[in-house]
């Protein structure tokens, strides 16, 4: 019949379609068909009314047994309660009721606690009050802000300056204001944490080079130039930056600025130098690393620094060409969205800058001489070796025999020395880092900071205490802080 012929034709077509199909393929298709049928026709729908309800006693038991997961796995740092200062933090301060020599803070020029600056702050409070309570673009700009920017630009011999209300956020805001996704940033592995945060926020391609290794930096620049030459369109659209520091706070040494400037022009990169530790310190008049090496300041695209160190105030600044600096007024988050620098801090920074401008040569020379003296005294240490440049007031002391030891063990031994020095009324500090967050954690060290206001006698006393405290008088871990007898 017609129906039989149709069925036979369908069977023939089915057999023809199945020719060449593997049994595994057929088995998988059959399994999927069974799963679909089960889900459609045999699965039970969710009914919230049928949910098992717990008794009050069961709920209380579950709550008692519940333990929340930590927000952060493990500790992010070797945090311990810091010493609390109970007086002005200058070359002397009071800790735990005792006056101690302060070799721990970045009071390079001894301006923290300066009576002239304190009186300037008092006079400014009487006129402007304490805070600004608004960003610079929203009635947060006070005339002392503009005066400070003009004086910074004039002192650094640049076209324009811009100030920020917080030192850390200065460089962390400036880098992402210029460098974006798709751009390239070459940076020294030894840069500080504030720079690292700016690098991450930029979302650019990050190319690190070994600390102050100019040969490796040039090789990396050559490699990226070769890649970009192949794609001319990408080459024209990609901006390249080079970020370094004048004095590296993590190492106490100085960047080779002359070579960096040479590579800047050779490979067409924009050079950003962070000078929080070198401003007011290096150079014949305290202008920083450009003056130290005799490099024209115009050869550096941006110079960035904190005002919380040499100036003895708070905040940060950036100097450069007008068209470079003006871009930050609408693009740098730390400038646009933070309350502006309190007027009293701007006024004290102006006064500090005036002191440096008139006495900078003598202050910088004396500071570098005292830093060199302290290094020579600490070089006699049999347990610790001195790290850093001779002109740098930041001195790092690393263990001579630290090879093979875990960082935590070295840090514990260094902390014992720090505690023993504090017991002898000399405040120094172990260099601390958030090691889980650091891109390239520096080795464990003790940090000693020399100030222009320290006397030679105080340098001698501090060096004697440090050298005595670091002598291997007991097995590691058994030493307890003791009072060192001074002779």
């Amino acid at each position: 019949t017609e129906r039989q012929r149709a069925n036979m034709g369908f069977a023939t077509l089915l057999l023809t379609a199945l020719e060449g199909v593997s049994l595994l393929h057929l088995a998988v298709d059959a399994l999927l068909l069974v799963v679909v049928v089960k889900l459609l026709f045999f699965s039970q729908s969710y009914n919230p009314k049928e949910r098992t309800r717990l008794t009050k006693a069961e709920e209380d038991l579950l709550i008692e047994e519940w333990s929340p997961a930590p927000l952060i796995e493990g500790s992010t740092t070797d945090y311990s309660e810091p010493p609390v200062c109970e007086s002005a933090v200058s070359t002397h301060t009071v800790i735990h009721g005792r006056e101690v020599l302060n070799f721990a803070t970045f009071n390079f020029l001894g301006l923290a606690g300066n009576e002239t600056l304190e009186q300037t702050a008092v006079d400014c409070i009487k006129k402007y009050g304490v805070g600004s309570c608004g960003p610079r673009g929203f009635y947060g700009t006070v005339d002392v802000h503009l005066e400070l920017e003009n004086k910074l630009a004039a002192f650094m011999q640049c076209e324009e300056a811009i100030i920020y209300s917080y030192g850390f956020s200065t460089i962390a805001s400036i880098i992402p204001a210029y460098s974006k996704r798709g751009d390239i940033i070459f940076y020294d592995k030894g840069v500080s944490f504030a720079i690292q945060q700016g690098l991450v926020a930029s979302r650019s391609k990050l190319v690190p080079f070994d600390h102050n290794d100019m040969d490796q930096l040039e090789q990396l620049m050559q490699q990226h130039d070769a890649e970009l030459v192949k794609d001319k369109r990408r080459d024209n659209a990609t901006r390249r930056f080079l970020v370094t520091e004048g004095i590296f706070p993590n190492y106490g040494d100085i960047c080779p600025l002359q070579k960096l400037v040479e590579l800047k022009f050779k490979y067409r990169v924009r050079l950003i130098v962070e000078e929080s530790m070198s401003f007011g310190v290096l150079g014949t008049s305290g202008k920083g690393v450009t003056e130290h090496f005799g490099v024209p300041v115009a050869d550096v695209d941006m110079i960035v620094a904190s005002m919380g160190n040499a100036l003895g105030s708070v905040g940060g600044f950036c100097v450069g060409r007008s068209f470079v600096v003006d871009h930050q007024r609408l693009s740098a988050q730390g400038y646009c969205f933070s309350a502006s620098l309190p007027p009293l801090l701007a006024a004290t920074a102006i006064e500090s800058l005036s002191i440096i401008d008139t006495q900078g040569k003598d202050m910088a020379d004396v500071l570098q001489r005292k830093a060199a003296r302290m290094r020579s005294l600490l070089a006699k240490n049999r347990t610790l070796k001195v790290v850093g440049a001779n002109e740098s007031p930041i001195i790092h002391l690393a263990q001579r025999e630290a090879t093979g030891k875990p960082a935590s063990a070295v840090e514990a031994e260094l902390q014992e020395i720090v505690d023993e020095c504090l017991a002898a009324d000399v405040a120094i500090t172990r260099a601390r880092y958030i090691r889980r967050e650091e891109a390239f954690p520096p080795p464990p060290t003790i940090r000693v900071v020399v100030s222009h206001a320290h006397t030679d006698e105080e340098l001698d006393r501090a060096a004697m205490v440090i050298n005595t405290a670091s002598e291997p008088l007991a097995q590691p871990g058994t030493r307890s802080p003791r009072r060192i007898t001074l002779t």
Side-chain angles (χ1 to χ4, degrees):
T1 64
E2 289 293 330
R3 186 172 182 179
Q4 290 174 334
R5 283 197 296 271
N7 289 337
M8 291 177 62
F10 176 76
T12 302
L13 289 173
L14 182 62
L15 291 173
T16 303
L18 293 176
E19 286 182 4
V21 178
S22 67
L23 292 177
L24 178 62
H25 191 175
L26 290 174
V28 171
D29 287 347
L31 179 62
L32 291 174
L33 180 62
V34 171
V35 171
V36 170
V37 171
K38 183 178 184 304
L39 291 174
L40 290 175
F41 300 104
F42 297 98
S43 297
Q44 293 183 353
S45 60
Y46 172 70
N47 184 356
K49 295 182 179 180
E50 297 178 359
R51 183 177 59 185
T52 304
R53 300 192 66 85
L54 300 176
T55 64
K56 184 67 168 62
E58 290 172 329
E59 290 178 352
D60 293 341
L61 181 61
L62 286 175
I63 293 172
E64 184 179 347
E65 293 177 348
W66 180 72
S67 177
L71 293 176
I72 300 175
E73 291 294 337
S75 175
T76 58
T77 181
D78 55 338
Y79 178 78
S80 59
E81 288 296 330
V84 178
C85 299
E86 301 161 359
S87 69
V89 185
S90 56
T91 54
H92 292 74
T93 189
V94 176
I95 298 177
H96 304 315
R98 294 201 324 271
E99 183 175 305
V100 300
L101 268 175
N102 180 11
F103 283 84
T105 56
F106 301 119
N107 182 23
F108 297 131
L109 301 182
L111 294 177
N114 181 283
E115 293 182 359
T116 303
L117 267 61
E118 291 176 353
Q119 187 58 49
T120 299
V122 170
D123 295 341
C124 190
I125 288 175
K126 291 178 180 178
K127 180 177 180 180
Y128 298 101
V130 178
S132 58
C133 299
R136 288 288 300 272
F138 297 92
Y139 297 97
T141 297
V142 184
D143 54 4
V144 288
H145 294 146
L146 303 179
E147 182 183 355
L148 176 57
E149 289 177 342
N150 291 334
K151 287 186 178 297
L152 283 167
F155 178 76
M156 293 297 295
Q157 299 175 344
C158 292
E159 292 180 8
E160 192 168 341
I162 183 173
I163 61 171
Y164 289 74
S165 53
Y166 187 42
F168 186 98
S169 66
T170 305
I171 187 64
S173 299
I174 287 172
I175 292 174
Y178 294 94
S179 186
K180 308 295 183 182
R181 189 187 299 275
D183 296 331
I184 298 174
I185 304 179
F186 301 93
Y187 73 98
D188 193 297
K189 290 182 179 179
V191 296
S192 62
F193 191 62
I195 293 178
Q196 294 175 41
Q197 293 301 100
L199 296 172
V200 172
S202 73
R203 299 176 297 174
S204 304
K205 180 179 180 180
L206 305 180
V207 184
F209 59 92
D210 290 341
H211 182 49
N212 277 347
D213 189 335
M214 297 297 100
D215 292 334
Q216 186 189 47
L217 172 59
E218 186 163 15
Q219 290 175 4
L220 292 169
M221 287 180 165
Q222 289 173 348
Q223 292 173 10
H224 282 81
D225 257 20
E227 294 174 6
L228 293 174
V229 164
K230 299 175 184 177
D231 187 347
K232 195 65 179 176
R233 183 177 177 183
R234 181 176 165 225
D235 183 25
N236 294 331
T238 301
R239 292 169 295 187
R240 283 154 285 197
F241 297 85
L242 173 56
V243 181
T244 189
E245 292 182 284
I247 292 178
F248 291 86
N250 295 346
Y251 294 89
D253 53 4
I254 303 171
C255 72
L257 185 64
Q258 293 166 310
K259 183 63 176 179
L260 290 167
V261 170
E262 177 189 327
L263 295 176
K264 168 204 163 168
F265 288 113
K266 184 176 181 180
Y267 294 98
R268 300 172 297 135
V269 300
R270 296 168 173 87
L271 177 59
I272 302 174
V273 180
E274 215 285 346
E275 290 214 61
S276 291
M277 303 298 165
S278 52
F279 175 76
V281 172
L282 296 180
T284 56
S285 59
K287 289 183 173 63
V289 70
T290 53
E291 189 177 52
H292 177 73
F293 286 108
V295 173
V297 70
D299 288 351
V300 179
D301 293 282
M302 280 176 279
I303 293 175
V304 186
S306 167
M307 296 189 291
N309 301 330
L311 291 180
S313 183
V314 174
F317 69 87
C318 174
V319 294
R321 292 182 176 88
S322 292
F323 75 91
V324 174
V325 171
D326 277 342
H327 176 73
Q328 298 174 40
R329 301 191 190 277
L330 293 176
S331 302
Q333 293 187 357
Y335 180 90
C336 296
F337 302 109
S338 294
S340 63
L341 187 69
L344 70 99
L345 296 173
T348 53
I350 291 171
E351 186 62 35
S352 296
L353 196 61
S354 177
I355 294 173
I356 296 174
D357 200 16
T358 56
Q359 306 174 32
K361 185 179 187 309
D362 293 335
M363 297 178 83
D365 286 346
V366 170
L367 176 60
Q368 292 175 28
R369 178 186 65 78
K370 291 183 177 181
R373 177 186 177 88
M374 189 64 164
R375 287 179 183 276
S376 66
L377 293 170
L378 293 174
K380 303 173 184 177
N381 195 300
R382 295 178 298 172
T383 306
L384 305 174
K385 62 181 178 180
V386 178
V387 180
N390 205 46
E391 304 92 336
S392 170
I394 301 174
I395 303 171
H396 283 266
L397 302 174
Q399 275 195 354
R400 294 185 183 275
E401 305 295 334
T403 306
K405 293 183 183 179
S408 58
V410 176
E411 288 171 347
E413 293 172 8
L414 295 178
Q415 187 60 48
E416 290 180 358
I417 297 172
V418 170
D419 294 340
E420 193 162 319
C421 289
L422 184 59
D425 298 334
V426 173
I428 58 175
T429 183
R430 178 168 57 82
R432 295 173 180 262
Y433 311 97
I434 308 176
R435 292 200 171 273
R436 288 181 52 179
E437 301 293 332
E438 288 277 348
F440 302 97
T445 58
I446 290 173
R447 189 178 67 222
V448 180
V449 183
V450 177
S451 171
H452 168 273
H454 284 133
T455 65
D456 287 346
E457 292 74 18
E458 290 170 343
L459 296 176
D460 295 343
R461 179 173 181 270
M464 189 278 295
V465 168
I466 295 170
N467 290 339
T468 303
S470 59
E471 290 177 1
L473 301 177
Q475 294 297 320
T478 62
R479 175 196 289 165
S480 58
R482 59 189 177 83
R483 176 72 64 174
I484 297 173
T485 304
L486 301 179
T487 58

